[in-house]
Amino acid sequence: MARIALVTGGTRGIGAAISVGLKNAGRHVIATYAGNEAAAASFSKETGIETVRFDAGDYDQCATAVAAVAANHGPVEILVNNAGITRDTTIAKMSRDMWDAVIDTNLGSCFNLSKSCFDGMRAGKFGRIVNIGSINGQAGQYGQVNYAAAKSGIHGFTKALAQEGARFGITVNAIAPGYVDTEMVRAVPADVLEKIIARIPRGRLGTAEDIARGVVFLTSDNADFITGSTLSINGGQHMY
Ligand code: CAA
């Protein structure tokens, strides 16, 4: 039986490439999305991947959605906490809402989904959790105190949960993408982005597939001895 994989924010950007990569690796993938119906519908039509709508930052919605997946398909065995948003600005201009939205969606979602899936993984003595962090959680980034804090939190969350999951066959790892050619990065002002690209030793933005290949590897049965690690995929921009 194909293992059940849940990818949050799995219909667009890096998440869409992860969903497709896992499907191509033989997983039964369910991709979640928060609100962009049109994108989810065209993703599903193109890939044949089932999509489910809920807010990953909302604990009750996560618990309900994971229970529904378990009832329909079986327990989630592979969880990719990918959902993420930006609300970039300097702290002087950042509102409390901009802080909360990013912390809830990017970091709170890791708790919500991991907790909702953990018992099922433990019962099956197998689990793969991959949390998508960021180079900006490792190095910080001007204009991103909210995002850097959330992503940095993901790296701590990963190492703590890895210790709890190990004896149940549950591995927990993070991937720290650098600047990847997605809508999120294209929202960075062009002059700022140009300077960022100039600092990437590989001389280009990443592709969503560059990140997806890492997720496919870390969620494979063969990656059983890798847990609590962070895989940086950033073209050499930050060596951590
Ligand atoms: N270092 C030092 N100073 C900087 C700076 C930097 N990196 N960036 C901007 N400044 C300075 C500006 O020069 C300006 O100075 P002056 O007032 O003296 O001219 C001052 O900061 C304020 O700049 P702005 O008026 O432009 O402020 P703003 O609020 O309109 O915009 C910003 C600031 C939001 C940070 C904007 O520069 C920006 O979007 N930067 C890019 C942020 C970024 O990299 N986001 C990543 C998004 S992608 C992602 O997050 C995915 C991932 O995981 C990698």
Side-chain angles (χ1 to χ4, degrees), residues 86 88-90 93 133-136 141-144 147 151 177-180 184-185 187-189 192 196:
T86 52
D88 292 357
T89 193
T90 51
K93 295 185 209 163
S134 167
I135 186 173
N136 294 346
Q141 170 61 41
Y142 191 103
Q144 284 200 312
Y147 187 90
K151 292 297 188 177
Y179 281 73
V180 175
M184 184 185 275
V185 164
V188 172
V192 176
I196 290 171

Side-chain angles (χ1 to χ4, degrees), residues 37-116:
E37 288 286 355
S42 74
F43 170 80
S44 195
K45 194 169 165 210
E46 216 171 274
T47 62
I49 292 173
E50 179 184 338
T51 62
V52 47
R53 179 177 179 165
F54 64 91
D55 176 358
D58 182 296
Y59 180 76
D60 292 336
Q61 289 185 36
C62 290
T64 304
V66 168
V69 169
N72 292 335
H73 304 289
V76 173
E77 296 166 288
I78 296 169
L79 169 65
V80 185
N81 285 311
N82 164 76
I85 58 170
T86 52
R87 295 287 182 273
D88 292 357
T89 193
T90 51
I91 196 166
K93 295 185 209 163
M94 189 177 290
S95 66
R96 178 69 203 208
D97 283 351
M98 294 166 86
W99 169 268
D100 288 341
V102 170
I103 298 292
D104 289 350
T105 300
N106 298 15
L107 180 59
S109 60
C110 292
F111 174 81
N112 298 341
L113 272 310
S114 300
K115 184 167 169 69
S116 299

Side-chain angles (χ1 to χ4, degrees), residues 135-210:
I135 186 173
N136 294 346
Q138 297 171 312
Q141 170 61 41
Y142 191 103
Q144 284 200 312
V145 293
N146 49 3
Y147 187 90
K151 292 297 188 177
S152 184
I154 284 178
H155 295 298
F157 176 89
T158 298
K159 292 179 212 174
L161 190 58
Q163 293 178 34
E164 295 186 24
R167 68 196 160 115
F168 305 116
I170 303 169
T171 68
V172 188
N173 293 288
I175 288 183
Y179 281 73
V180 175
D181 190 8
T182 59
E183 261 175 60
M184 184 185 275
V185 164
R186 283 192 290 271
V188 172
D191 55 325
V192 176
L193 189 57
E194 207 176 296
K195 287 185 198 139
I196 290 171
I197 295 172
R199 292 199 304 268
I200 303 175
R202 286 292 288 118
R204 65 168 175 88
L205 292 174
T207 65
E209 289 72 24
D210 286 329

